[in-house]
Amino acid sequence: MSKLEIHQIPVLSDNYVYLFREPESGLVGVVDPAVAGPVLDKLEELDWTLTHIINTHHHPDHTGANLELKEKTGCTIVGAKNDASRIPGIDIKVEEGDIFEFGKENACVFEVPGHTVGHIAYWFEKSDALFCGDTLFALGCGRLFEGTPGQMWHSISKFRDLPDQTKVYCAHEYTEANGRFAVSVNPGNDALKKRFAEIVAMRKKKLPTVPSTLGEEKETNPFMRADDPGLAAELALSGADPVEVFAETRRRKDSF
């Protein structure tokens, strides 16, 4: 079984870019390159040749280096079919249910609107790797810049069907702030309080809290648990529709 070799590159103030290689084919991809310099430096360090850019959505801190990297490496750019006009340099357009073949590994494509209307995610099943951009964060989710609470809840719910061991390669180091908020709305969640204490300790040592696992998120992330009666009760929304619970959770986070 061929699994991806994945390297996490911190860029800007809190972004993560992911460089990955499929060992049998030698194909090399980068997820959401905000800036080119750190990616080129890592490629040189590893003696890898970039073949693909994998974009989750159009925001500049995810596509900012597309054209520069394409010019310097000749790589192929993959992005959402229904948002192709906003993905710089796009070559391959993918949509819900597509299988993107990457050497001996395949990625299942999910359309996950909410943060943007054209957001997508890539699940490499054999590698237990989910590249979810700004849809799902460790203990959080992205702001709803273009979509609705209903769309985002439906999008995040797709991830709940994936295996617990799946690693969540999200795009930002927001976990400590997300955890502080999560505890405020779900104080009765003992697993959450334990995890948050561990996260605080990690950040004091300047260690990354990403990737997490979907198992951890299902148990502790309030945005993945909008149908949990305990969370609804703590929000004074017992019996409410999960979309209403999700919307209230997101509203509180926006002003936290």
Side-chain angles (χ1 to χ4, degrees):
M1 182 183 294
S2 177
K3 291 190 176 183
L4 302 177
E5 180 184 345
I6 302 172
H7 292 265
Q8 186 177 57
I9 307 172
V11 302
L12 304 179
S13 61
D14 52 38
N15 280 66
Y16 288 128
V17 172
Y18 299 101
L19 192 64
F20 61 94
R21 179 178 181 269
E22 195 283 299
E24 292 194 37
S25 65
L27 294 177
V28 175
V30 65
V31 182
D32 288 346
V35 288
V39 176
L40 293 168
D41 289 346
K42 194 67 176 179
L43 286 165
E44 183 177 6
E45 174 191 328
L46 297 169
D47 195 24
W48 288 1
T49 299
L50 187 67
T51 60
H52 292 79
I53 291 173
I54 312 294
N55 287 138
T56 63
H57 64 294
H58 75 276
H59 284 159
D61 64 325
H62 295 255
T63 62
N66 275 21
L67 298 181
E68 182 177 349
L69 289 173
K70 186 174 185 176
E71 180 183 357
K72 291 182 176 178
T73 68
C75 64
T76 298
I77 298 177
V78 185
K81 180 178 180 179
N82 69 357
D83 208 14
S85 64
R86 298 195 291 182
I87 304 295
I90 190 169
D91 299 297
I92 297 176
K93 303 169 187 178
V94 294
E95 59 187 341
E96 177 78 21
D98 280 353
I99 301 297
F100 172 62
E101 296 183 2
F102 193 75
K104 296 294 184 179
E105 246 284 39
N106 293 331
C108 181
V109 176
F110 296 98
E111 291 181 356
V112 285
H115 181 65
T116 68
V117 294
H119 205 302
I120 58 176
Y122 305 81
W123 175 45
F124 288 89
E125 180 177 4
K126 289 191 295 186
S127 298
D128 291 323
L130 175 67
F131 296 107
C132 53
D134 287 356
T135 297
L136 181 68
F137 295 131
L139 288 179
C141 76
R143 285 180 177 267
L144 305 184
F145 288 122
E146 297 178 1
T148 66
Q151 284 179 311
M152 192 63 140
W153 170 242
H154 179 65
S155 295
I156 288 176
S157 294
K158 294 180 181 182
F159 299 152
R160 301 202 309 176
D161 294 331
L162 302 182
D164 286 356
Q165 72 268 19
T166 304
K167 292 181 179 178
V168 180
Y169 291 96
C170 64
H172 292 275
E173 182 58 67
Y174 290 163
T175 318
E176 186 173 3
N178 287 343
R180 191 171 296 110
F181 167 75
V183 170
S184 78
V185 294
N186 195 195
N189 188 329
D190 291 338
L192 167 59
K193 289 188 286 187
K194 180 177 183 292
R195 184 181 175 197
F196 180 56
E198 293 169 351
I199 286 163
V200 170
M202 291 173 71
R203 293 308 294 160
K204 283 182 178 178
K205 298 177 182 178
K206 301 190 183 303
L207 296 174
T209 64
V210 176
S212 60
T213 68
L214 277 178
E216 291 175 311
E217 299 308 322
K218 293 173 190 179
E219 188 177 28
T220 60
N221 187 333
F223 294 102
M224 291 200 86
R225 300 174 52 254
D227 57 354
D228 179 83
L231 176 62
E234 290 183 320
L235 293 170
L237 289 172
S238 292
D241 185 89
V243 172
E244 185 179 351
V245 175
F246 181 91
E248 175 63 13
T249 307
R250 186 64 254 180
R251 184 192 68 77
R252 292 191 187 194
K253 179 64 170 70
D254 289 344
S255 60
F256 184 72

